[in-house]
Amino acid sequence: MLRRPAAAFSSHPEVAAVRVVIDPADRALYDSAVDGLGLLDPVAGGATRQDSSRLGLESFADAAPRNVLIHDAARPFVDSAMVSRVIGALADAPAAVPVLAVSDTLKRGNGQVAETVDRSGLWRAQTPQGFRYAEILTAHRDLSGQGLTDDAAVAERAGLAVAMVAGSEDNVKITTAEDLERARRDLGGVGEIRVGTGFDVHRFKPGDHVTLCGIRIPHDRALEGHSDADAGLHALTDALLGAIGAGDIGVHFPPSDARWKDADSEIFLREAAERVKAAGGAVLNADVTLICEAPRIGPHRTAMTERIAGILGISADRVNVKGTTTEKLGFLGRGEGIAAQAIVSVRINIF
Ligand code: MG
């Protein structure tokens, strides 16, 4: 919630510095949320929203910037264009507020409608709200303790002209758990897309079958390995771990550990999928290429696809398995082993 708007401001070319007003009890959470964004040190807020705004403004008294923007962090979807509109309006006015038209019909009443309110000339105010710094600081100092619910109201009360600029319907305020659910639903695409790749090779040894992408295939040789030597699932496991920056299969399942002797590689893939989930991620798709002269992969593709989809808990149309050869070139072409490569994409939810 906090990182998204903080990043929107700190990456804006016309914004010189960003400071967040926090409850000092939340300091550890704050530090983890904004890590790496290069913000100024936070300052402690007050008992009311108005107090917190004033304390934030006071913290810039020495820097005395020309303009300041005040934003509710509960509006995570603020975009760069709106920030620019508010800053632009400050060229001609000491204060500016983004607004939206009221589209619903308004009623006044208490359990029963007393009257319909004429909505012409009424607007919904959003943030960020922009101000000439010296003027809003003076207004806040003069009007402290009045319980005003936004900074434009402080400016109005102080007699400053407040310009209106276009707000955005996407710039919603998230106040309740229901708001959060709606934002997740409406803005399902909001998240960070990660990709990871994996590559694995196992050599042939005498035997009568190989296991590839979780499917046992009769063959005149077997694959050598500590576990079941399923190169396909190993490459895919590495790709998942790679997408979330969690190392590789050898880190999590060292061959030196007797537990993994002859293990079904499904265990590794399930563990990697759990780690993706724990990181707030969801696998969008996976694509695996098995590279060998033999056995033929084609007849087993559907079964392999369904097995992987089942382990990852995603639909089969998000999984692809294909086979190829190296045209008899190199160690794979000479039939010395089987290689696999995989790529996955993962969406990490922003919140
Ligand atoms: Mg392997």
Side-chain angles (χ1 to χ4, degrees):
M1 284 284 293
L2 177 60
R3 187 175 183 84
R4 191 178 170 84
F9 285 97
S10 66
S11 65
H12 192 283
E14 292 176 89
V15 173
V18 178
R19 167 167 281 144
V20 182
V21 180
I22 66 168
D23 180 340
D26 295 330
R27 181 62 196 254
L29 186 59
Y30 166 86
D31 286 340
S32 69
V34 303
D35 183 40
L37 293 182
L39 309 189
L40 300 177
D41 281 344
V43 292
T48 64
R49 187 195 183 288
Q50 195 184 336
D51 283 346
S52 293
S53 278
R54 181 176 47 76
L55 292 164
L57 290 167
E58 294 282 5
S59 76
F60 286 106
D62 288 342
R66 173 178 161 74
N67 294 324
V68 64
L69 301 179
I70 304 176
H71 183 65
D72 288 328
R75 295 184 188 273
F77 303 114
V78 56
D79 62 62
S80 166
M82 191 188 307
V83 173
S84 296
R85 285 199 292 279
V86 174
I87 294 172
L90 294 177
D92 302 316
V97 56
V99 296
L100 290 172
V102 176
S103 55
D104 295 327
T105 299
L106 296 178
K107 305 291 183 187
R108 191 188 309 279
N110 188 5
Q112 184 180 318
V113 174
E115 62 169 332
T116 298
V117 178
D118 179 8
R119 71 182 179 208
S120 61
L122 292 183
W123 303 86
R124 292 178 286 148
Q126 298 187 319
T127 69
Q129 299 180 351
F131 306 93
R132 300 229 179 104
Y133 175 73
E135 282 152 273
I136 193 66
L137 177 61
T138 301
H140 260 285
R141 283 174 174 169
D142 292 347
L143 296 164
S144 179
Q146 299 206 1
L148 298 170
T149 54
D150 74 353
D151 302 283
V154 175
E156 293 155 33
R157 192 72 67 87
L160 300 179
V162 181
M164 298 194 298
V165 302
S168 162
E169 292 288 356
D170 288 337
N171 184 29
V172 292
K173 189 171 184 177
I174 296 178
T175 308
T176 65
E178 191 188 4
D179 294 338
L180 184 57
E181 275 314 303
R182 188 182 306 111
R184 283 185 169 138
R185 205 167 55 231
D186 291 355
L187 300 155
V190 171
E192 192 173 302
I193 303 298
R194 302 279 194 89
V195 296
T197 72
F199 180 75
D200 193 32
V201 177
H202 284 265
R203 67 169 71 234
F204 280 124
K205 67 176 182 181
D208 61 4
H209 75 277
V210 297
T211 302
L212 290 170
C213 292
I215 302 300
R216 184 186 167 105
I217 303 171
H219 191 52
D220 58 8
R221 280 169 296 173
L223 289 172
E224 195 172 297
H226 187 66
S227 64
D228 64 6
D230 186 335
L233 292 194
H234 293 179
L236 187 52
T237 299
D238 266 350
L240 285 174
L241 294 171
I244 57 167
D248 66 30
I249 194 169
V251 171
H252 298 282
F253 308 102
S256 54
D257 190 329
R259 268 186 302 168
W260 314 124
K261 177 104 180 78
D262 301 325
D264 181 338
S265 294
E266 172 179 343
I267 297 167
F268 309 146
L269 186 58
R270 272 192 195 284
E271 171 67 21
E274 281 303 315
R275 284 177 176 271
V276 168
K277 205 190 262 183
V283 178
L284 295 179
N285 75 307
D287 191 11
V288 181
T289 303
L290 299 170
I291 309 164
C292 57
E293 300 294 330
R296 288 188 58 223
I297 302 303
H300 307 286
R301 280 176 56 174
T302 303
M304 291 173 171
T305 299
E306 286 172 358
R307 183 83 200 277
I308 291 170
I311 297 168
L312 296 180
I314 60 178
S315 59
D317 64 348
R318 291 178 180 272
V319 177
N320 191 63
V321 177
K322 55 198 183 295
T324 191
T325 71
T326 57
E327 298 288 339
K328 301 247 187 324
L329 295 170
F331 67 94
L332 296 167
R334 293 189 296 271
E336 295 170 12
I338 291 181
Q341 60 186 29
I343 186 164
V344 297
S345 64
V346 169
R347 190 183 74 230
I348 309 283
N349 288 325
I350 294 288
F351 56 71

mmCIF file of all heavy atoms in Angstrom, residues 3-25:
data_model
loop_
_atom_site.group_PDB
_atom_site.id
_atom_site.type_symbol
_atom_site.label_atom_id
_atom_site.label_comp_id
_atom_site.label_asym_id
_atom_site.label_seq_id
_atom_site.Cartn_x
_atom_site.Cartn_y
_atom_site.Cartn_z
ATOM 1 N N ARG A 3 4.289 1.457 -0.542
ATOM 2 C CA ARG A 3 5.377 1.484 -1.509
ATOM 3 C C ARG A 3 4.935 2.040 -2.857
ATOM 4 O O ARG A 3 5.654 2.800 -3.502
ATOM 5 C CB ARG A 3 5.949 0.074 -1.702
ATOM 6 C CG ARG A 3 7.189 0.074 -2.562
ATOM 7 C CD ARG A 3 7.830 -1.296 -2.651
ATOM 8 N NE ARG A 3 9.059 -1.211 -3.433
ATOM 9 C CZ ARG A 3 10.243 -0.848 -2.932
ATOM 10 N NH1 ARG A 3 10.350 -0.569 -1.665
ATOM 11 N NH2 ARG A 3 11.299 -0.785 -3.697
ATOM 12 N N ARG A 4 3.726 1.671 -3.272
ATOM 13 C CA ARG A 4 3.264 2.066 -4.590
ATOM 14 C C ARG A 4 3.173 3.602 -4.732
ATOM 15 O O ARG A 4 3.767 4.165 -5.659
ATOM 16 C CB ARG A 4 1.939 1.379 -4.886
ATOM 17 C CG ARG A 4 1.526 1.513 -6.302
ATOM 18 C CD ARG A 4 0.234 0.773 -6.585
ATOM 19 N NE ARG A 4 -0.209 1.147 -7.902
ATOM 20 C CZ ARG A 4 0.222 0.583 -9.019
ATOM 21 N NH1 ARG A 4 1.065 -0.421 -8.945
ATOM 22 N NH2 ARG A 4 -0.188 0.998 -10.184
ATOM 23 N N PRO A 5 2.446 4.290 -3.848
ATOM 24 C CA PRO A 5 2.393 5.752 -3.996
ATOM 25 C C PRO A 5 3.757 6.400 -3.729
ATOM 26 O O PRO A 5 4.113 7.386 -4.391
ATOM 27 C CB PRO A 5 1.350 6.189 -2.962
ATOM 28 C CG PRO A 5 1.276 5.077 -1.977
ATOM 29 C CD PRO A 5 1.565 3.824 -2.761
ATOM 30 N N ALA A 6 4.533 5.854 -2.788
ATOM 31 C CA ALA A 6 5.850 6.441 -2.500
ATOM 32 C C ALA A 6 6.726 6.384 -3.747
ATOM 33 O O ALA A 6 7.424 7.347 -4.090
ATOM 34 C CB ALA A 6 6.516 5.710 -1.331
ATOM 35 N N ALA A 7 6.654 5.260 -4.468
ATOM 36 C CA ALA A 7 7.451 5.108 -5.693
ATOM 37 C C ALA A 7 6.937 6.045 -6.782
ATOM 38 O O ALA A 7 7.725 6.597 -7.559
ATOM 39 C CB ALA A 7 7.409 3.659 -6.172
ATOM 40 N N ALA A 8 5.606 6.239 -6.845
ATOM 41 C CA ALA A 8 5.042 7.123 -7.876
ATOM 42 C C ALA A 8 5.577 8.542 -7.707
ATOM 43 O O ALA A 8 5.875 9.220 -8.693
ATOM 44 C CB ALA A 8 3.512 7.112 -7.805
ATOM 45 N N PHE A 9 5.711 8.989 -6.467
ATOM 46 C CA PHE A 9 6.221 10.347 -6.232
ATOM 47 C C PHE A 9 7.743 10.404 -6.385
ATOM 48 O O PHE A 9 8.282 11.302 -7.023
ATOM 49 C CB PHE A 9 5.813 10.851 -4.841
ATOM 50 C CG PHE A 9 4.357 11.248 -4.773
ATOM 51 C CD1 PHE A 9 3.414 10.358 -4.285
ATOM 52 C CD2 PHE A 9 3.943 12.485 -5.227
ATOM 53 C CE1 PHE A 9 2.072 10.714 -4.242
ATOM 54 C CE2 PHE A 9 2.597 12.851 -5.183
ATOM 55 C CZ PHE A 9 1.659 11.954 -4.689
ATOM 56 N N SER A 10 8.446 9.436 -5.806
ATOM 57 C CA SER A 10 9.910 9.537 -5.808
ATOM 58 C C SER A 10 10.481 9.397 -7.211
ATOM 59 O O SER A 10 11.577 9.881 -7.488
ATOM 60 C CB SER A 10 10.531 8.520 -4.850
ATOM 61 O OG SER A 10 10.310 7.214 -5.297
ATOM 62 N N SER A 11 9.720 8.740 -8.123
ATOM 63 C CA SER A 11 10.226 8.578 -9.494
ATOM 64 C C SER A 11 9.745 9.709 -10.403
ATOM 65 O O SER A 11 10.095 9.739 -11.580
ATOM 66 C CB SER A 11 9.764 7.224 -10.056
ATOM 67 O OG SER A 11 8.357 7.200 -10.179
ATOM 68 N N HIS A 12 8.938 10.635 -9.880
ATOM 69 C CA HIS A 12 8.422 11.716 -10.727
ATOM 70 C C HIS A 12 9.504 12.778 -10.947
ATOM 71 O O HIS A 12 10.142 13.224 -9.991
ATOM 72 C CB HIS A 12 7.186 12.343 -10.067
ATOM 73 C CG HIS A 12 6.430 13.243 -10.995
ATOM 74 N ND1 HIS A 12 6.862 14.509 -11.301
ATOM 75 C CD2 HIS A 12 5.293 13.049 -11.699
ATOM 76 C CE1 HIS A 12 6.003 15.061 -12.161
ATOM 77 N NE2 HIS A 12 5.042 14.194 -12.414
ATOM 78 N N PRO A 13 9.732 13.184 -12.203
ATOM 79 C CA PRO A 13 10.856 14.093 -12.494
ATOM 80 C C PRO A 13 10.754 15.457 -11.807
ATOM 81 O O PRO A 13 11.768 16.116 -11.603
ATOM 82 C CB PRO A 13 10.820 14.234 -14.025
ATOM 83 C CG PRO A 13 9.469 13.777 -14.443
ATOM 84 C CD PRO A 13 9.018 12.780 -13.433
ATOM 85 N N GLU A 14 9.533 15.886 -11.457
ATOM 86 C CA GLU A 14 9.404 17.218 -10.837
ATOM 87 C C GLU A 14 9.358 17.155 -9.314
ATOM 88 O O GLU A 14 9.187 18.182 -8.664
ATOM 89 C CB GLU A 14 8.129 17.902 -11.347
ATOM 90 C CG GLU A 14 8.194 18.286 -12.833
ATOM 91 C CD GLU A 14 6.875 18.866 -13.310
ATOM 92 O OE1 GLU A 14 6.700 20.092 -13.200
ATOM 93 O OE2 GLU A 14 6.021 18.083 -13.754
ATOM 94 N N VAL A 15 9.482 15.957 -8.746
ATOM 95 C CA VAL A 15 9.443 15.816 -7.287
ATOM 96 C C VAL A 15 10.869 15.661 -6.765
ATOM 97 O O VAL A 15 11.584 14.740 -7.165
ATOM 98 C CB VAL A 15 8.576 14.613 -6.867
ATOM 99 C CG1 VAL A 15 8.668 14.372 -5.364
ATOM 100 C CG2 VAL A 15 7.120 14.841 -7.275
ATOM 101 N N ALA A 16 11.283 16.583 -5.881
ATOM 102 C CA ALA A 16 12.673 16.593 -5.405
ATOM 103 C C ALA A 16 12.878 15.644 -4.233
ATOM 104 O O ALA A 16 13.950 15.041 -4.095
ATOM 105 C CB ALA A 16 13.069 18.010 -4.999
ATOM 106 N N ALA A 17 11.899 15.521 -3.355
ATOM 107 C CA ALA A 17 12.076 14.699 -2.155
ATOM 108 C C ALA A 17 10.714 14.242 -1.648
ATOM 109 O O ALA A 17 9.704 14.924 -1.845
ATOM 110 C CB ALA A 17 12.793 15.499 -1.067
ATOM 111 N N VAL A 18 10.716 13.065 -1.018
ATOM 112 C CA VAL A 18 9.473 12.488 -0.496
ATOM 113 C C VAL A 18 9.687 12.128 0.964
ATOM 114 O O VAL A 18 10.699 11.509 1.330
ATOM 115 C CB VAL A 18 9.071 11.209 -1.280
ATOM 116 C CG1 VAL A 18 7.800 10.594 -0.693
ATOM 117 C CG2 VAL A 18 8.880 11.522 -2.761
ATOM 118 N N ARG A 19 8.742 12.553 1.799
ATOM 119 C CA ARG A 19 8.802 12.190 3.215
ATOM 120 C C ARG A 19 7.444 11.641 3.619
ATOM 121 O O ARG A 19 6.409 12.198 3.275
ATOM 122 C CB ARG A 19 9.165 13.410 4.063
ATOM 123 C CG ARG A 19 8.952 13.195 5.553
ATOM 124 C CD ARG A 19 9.611 14.305 6.356
ATOM 125 N NE ARG A 19 11.049 14.074 6.459
ATOM 126 C CZ ARG A 19 11.962 15.039 6.449
ATOM 127 N NH1 ARG A 19 11.594 16.283 6.319
ATOM 128 N NH2 ARG A 19 13.241 14.735 6.568
ATOM 129 N N VAL A 20 7.464 10.550 4.404
ATOM 130 C CA VAL A 20 6.221 9.934 4.866
ATOM 131 C C VAL A 20 6.049 10.251 6.352
ATOM 132 O O VAL A 20 7.010 10.222 7.121
ATOM 133 C CB VAL A 20 6.240 8.406 4.640
ATOM 134 C CG1 VAL A 20 4.920 7.775 5.086
ATOM 135 C CG2 VAL A 20 6.509 8.089 3.168
ATOM 136 N N VAL A 21 4.813 10.581 6.725
ATOM 137 C CA VAL A 21 4.472 10.813 8.127
ATOM 138 C C VAL A 21 3.921 9.495 8.669
ATOM 139 O O VAL A 21 2.974 8.946 8.107
ATOM 140 C CB VAL A 21 3.419 11.938 8.248
ATOM 141 C CG1 VAL A 21 3.071 12.179 9.711
ATOM 142 C CG2 VAL A 21 3.925 13.215 7.596
ATOM 143 N N ILE A 22 4.548 8.980 9.731
ATOM 144 C CA ILE A 22 4.171 7.651 10.219
ATOM 145 C C ILE A 22 3.928 7.674 11.735
ATOM 146 O O ILE A 22 4.291 8.627 12.426
ATOM 147 C CB ILE A 22 5.264 6.589 9.921
ATOM 148 C CG1 ILE A 22 6.553 6.883 10.714
ATOM 149 C CG2 ILE A 22 5.562 6.541 8.434
ATOM 150 C CD1 ILE A 22 7.559 5.736 10.687
ATOM 151 N N ASP A 23 3.330 6.583 12.185
ATOM 152 C CA ASP A 23 3.303 6.291 13.624
ATOM 153 C C ASP A 23 4.638 5.605 13.923
ATOM 154 O O ASP A 23 4.953 4.577 13.300
ATOM 155 C CB ASP A 23 2.138 5.351 13.918
ATOM 156 C CG ASP A 23 2.038 4.993 15.411
ATOM 157 O OD1 ASP A 23 3.052 5.139 16.139
ATOM 158 O OD2 ASP A 23 0.956 4.563 15.819
ATOM 159 N N PRO A 24 5.454 6.144 14.840
ATOM 160 C CA PRO A 24 6.778 5.540 15.094
ATOM 161 C C PRO A 24 6.697 4.052 15.445
ATOM 162 O O PRO A 24 7.658 3.313 15.205
ATOM 163 C CB PRO A 24 7.309 6.355 16.273
ATOM 164 C CG PRO A 24 6.593 7.671 16.179
ATOM 165 C CD PRO A 24 5.224 7.364 15.635
ATOM 166 N N ALA A 25 5.553 3.601 15.954
ATOM 167 C CA ALA A 25 5.400 2.178 16.268
ATOM 168 C C ALA A 25 5.453 1.315 15.008
ATOM 169 O O ALA A 25 5.719 0.113 15.076
ATOM 170 C CB ALA A 25 4.074 1.943 17.004
#
